[in-house]
Amino acid sequence: MNEQNIYIVRCGEVALKGTNKPYFERVLVERVKKSLKDIENATVKRLEGLIYVRTDKLTPEIDVIRRVSKVFGVASISPAIECESNLESLCKVAVEYMNEFMEGNRPKTFKIKSKRADKNFPTKSPEIAKIIGECVLEGCKDLKVDVHNPECVLFVDVRHDKSYIYQDKIKGFGGLPVGTNGKGLVLFSGGIDSPVAAFMMAKRGMTIEAVHYHSYPYTSQRAQEKVEELVRIISQYCGDVKLHVVNLLPIQEQIVENCPEDQTTLLVRRFMMRIAEKIAKDNECMMLITGENLGQVASQTAEALVVTDETVKLPVMRPLIGMDKIDIMDMAHEIETYETSILPYEDCCTVFLPKHPLTRPRSFQMVNSESKLDVEKLVSDAVQSAETVHIKE
Ligand code: ATP
Ligand code: MG
């Protein structure tokens, strides 16, 4: 068997890119390399539309799979065995591979699926499958062929230089490699939704920065640590994240003191957007991203979203807008943010929660209330007081 562990990584949507394909593939290779940066001696190479990862034998498979499958742009990954591109080697390696596999898994039935990427290879795919299948039957005791419902499928990929035998195709998240589609600023709370929103935009290739608002000392240091932990989890998918942290308390106090109680949340949200827009512009982010979802809470009715949007010129992306909460929660489980998101720490939005929030706000009401505040100064003071935390992937 091979002296190194080898993995075949398949590109998803990247493969469909026309003349831009080499660019997307190059970025994807860089992202895969980065995901393996602390695995010594790992190499990553692109060849004929596939990416080949090699590590030494001591590196656990699970470790490589876990990292690479989180890279956006990766459709699937397979630990594989490499051999010479001739039937003799293919048969020999297939039998060795199956015998080794059977020790742990004891399948009773199998089938071979073969693919001939090298069309100059003299034997056609169905014939390759037949020949290797016969060798496996002969070389592996107690194993039978079942072409309809096999317990184990052995893939044989015959290529020009070398060929590959593998069994698993572990699904990646697909999408496009981060770095191929601009930069956005996520309004990142400690809740369930905004980490999922960040994930979804990064999955389309967007580089992510984040802004988090707190109301210290009403919100605790633990609440902020929770947010940093969430950003760290997200950074496994989207790479390093610059997190801007802003204390919203001075603004909240002004609002509570000067404006109608039922508008508090909406007015606070309008400030969140304004501050985010300024931070976005200072950091070359071209859009804002939120975890808002139509009708989920009082501040996310259609009318509420309209008066929230009015405060900014940058486009606001709301990737969760039409999803059901239950589906968002499923995604949060899948991307491993859920358990952290539900830790019971305070959020700045809950600090001055009105008893009966306005659900059908009108613009003029907001403008009227804000006329009692020095909006510009409050925003620029907040931006100036922002602290930055660099979260490394
Ligand atoms: P989440 O689970 O993301 O907290 P939510 O259902 O609790 O969402 P809201 O609290 O109304 O909804 O917030 C809606 C969106 O506003 C969030 O998804 C996020 O983008 C932004 N947001 C809310 N609170 C904060 C905060 N403290 N800091 C930064 N952004 C926030
Ligand atoms: Mg929230």
Side-chain angles (χ1 to χ4, degrees):
M1 292 272 177
N2 302 145
E3 294 184 347
Q4 284 179 305
N5 286 346
I6 298 166
Y7 304 83
I8 297 179
V9 180
R10 296 171 201 84
C11 313
E13 207 173 311
V14 168
L16 306 176
K17 294 280 166 200
T19 45
N20 289 330
K21 192 168 145 185
Y23 161 70
F24 281 91
E25 283 184 341
R26 246 190 342 264
V27 180
L28 181 56
V29 166
E30 287 312 309
R31 296 289 324 158
V32 173
K33 274 187 188 162
K34 197 148 185 232
S35 76
L36 298 169
K37 66 179 185 307
D38 49 359
I39 294 188
E40 227 182 304
N41 302 325
T43 64
V44 181
K45 283 215 173 86
R46 173 167 62 108
L47 190 70
E48 295 170 348
L50 292 176
I51 294 172
Y52 295 86
V53 171
R54 289 162 204 271
T55 68
D56 59 34
K57 283 271 182 200
L58 293 176
T59 308
E61 251 179 27
I62 182 86
D63 214 14
V64 175
I65 290 168
R66 197 172 44 80
R67 288 158 189 256
V68 174
S69 61
K70 283 182 176 161
V71 175
F72 292 136
V74 169
S76 64
I77 173 169
S78 299
I81 304 294
E82 186 178 67
C83 68
E84 298 302 320
S85 288
N86 60 61
L87 285 172
E88 198 186 331
S89 300
L90 281 162
C91 282
K92 180 168 168 283
V93 170
V95 172
E96 277 174 18
Y97 181 89
M98 279 309 286
N99 272 320
E100 203 170 285
F101 177 72
M102 282 169 69
E103 273 177 30
N105 297 275
R106 311 208 165 278
K108 293 200 173 54
T109 57
F110 80 108
K111 107 179 198 182
I112 307 273
K113 264 194 174 175
S114 63
K115 201 171 86 188
R116 191 179 54 137
D118 175 16
K119 297 298 175 210
N120 292 322
F121 192 78
T123 318
K124 291 194 172 151
S125 296
E127 190 67 12
I128 296 173
K130 191 164 165 273
I131 293 170
I132 297 176
E134 278 163 9
C135 291
V136 171
L137 271 179
E138 210 168 290
C140 304
K141 269 202 287 176
D142 304 330
L143 205 53
K144 290 200 175 74
V145 174
D146 182 345
V147 287
H148 300 297
N149 203 9
E151 279 173 53
C152 150
V153 180
L154 194 66
F155 294 91
V156 177
D157 187 357
V158 179
R159 298 196 162 245
H160 174 65
D161 191 19
K162 300 276 184 192
S163 292
Y164 299 87
I165 288 182
Y166 53 87
Q167 211 205 90
D168 286 333
K169 280 191 185 178
I170 299 124
K171 253 174 89 78
F173 285 103
L176 296 170
V178 170
T180 56
N181 232 331
K183 183 158 71 159
L185 181 68
V186 184
L187 283 80
F188 203 98
S189 70
I192 294 169
D193 304 333
S194 42
V196 175
F199 173 91
M200 283 179 74
M201 294 306 285
K203 186 178 160 184
R204 296 311 300 166
M206 184 161 264
T207 303
I208 296 298
E209 275 197 32
V211 56
H212 174 70
Y213 302 104
H214 63 84
S215 317
Y216 190 79
Y218 288 89
T219 56
S220 63
Q221 184 61 29
R222 302 273 298 274
Q224 177 162 336
E225 283 162 13
K226 166 185 164 179
V227 169
E228 287 178 23
E229 173 60 13
L230 280 171
V231 176
R232 199 196 55 72
I233 298 172
I234 286 297
S235 75
Q236 294 174 57
Y237 307 95
C238 63
D240 302 348
V241 177
K242 196 167 157 188
L243 169 66
H244 306 269
V245 181
V246 177
N247 190 342
L248 212 57
L249 188 58
I251 294 177
Q252 289 173 301
E253 285 174 337
Q254 287 282 314
I255 292 173
V256 169
E257 217 174 291
N258 296 294
C259 307
E261 198 224 356
D262 63 352
Q263 296 177 14
T264 311
T265 310
L266 288 165
L267 292 167
V268 169
R269 297 203 56 74
R270 281 163 65 94
F271 274 95
M272 283 186 178
M273 298 305 273
R274 292 186 179 105
I275 297 165
E277 181 174 62
K278 252 185 176 293
I279 292 176
K281 285 183 175 163
D282 291 346
N283 290 276
E284 283 142 16
C285 297
M286 51 217 282
M287 42 185 74
L288 303 179
I289 301 162
T290 78
E292 286 164 314
N293 173 250
L294 191 60
Q296 192 183 85
V297 286
S299 59
Q300 294 172 33
T301 61
E303 290 84 352
L305 294 178
V306 169
V307 300
T308 309
D309 251 21
E310 266 169 11
T311 51
V312 290
K313 290 211 175 70
L314 282 185
V316 182
M317 298 292 132
R318 298 181 166 97
L320 314 184
I321 195 72
M323 287 174 74
D324 281 0
K325 185 77 182 187
I326 196 92
D327 297 328
I328 300 172
M329 282 157 64
D330 282 350
M331 263 193 93
H333 277 293
E334 195 185 354
I335 67 176
E336 294 167 2
T337 51
Y338 185 82
E339 296 300 330
T340 308
S341 285
I342 59 167
L343 293 174
Y345 300 123
E346 338 65 38
D347 178 63
C348 74
C349 291
T350 53
V351 172
F352 299 103
L353 206 58
K355 277 203 193 70
H356 302 289
L358 196 60
T359 52
R360 308 260 175 259
R362 305 279 300 276
S363 249
F364 73 86
Q365 295 172 294
M366 303 287 109
V367 174
N368 202 10
S369 301
E370 283 168 355
S371 69
K372 299 180 189 99
L373 309 170
D374 187 346
V375 174
E376 219 166 286
K377 182 163 186 328
L378 286 171
V379 170
S380 72
D381 285 355
V383 172
Q384 288 209 333
S385 72
E387 287 170 21
T388 312
V389 187
H390 292 271
I391 311 270
K392 297 269 174 211
E393 121 180 46

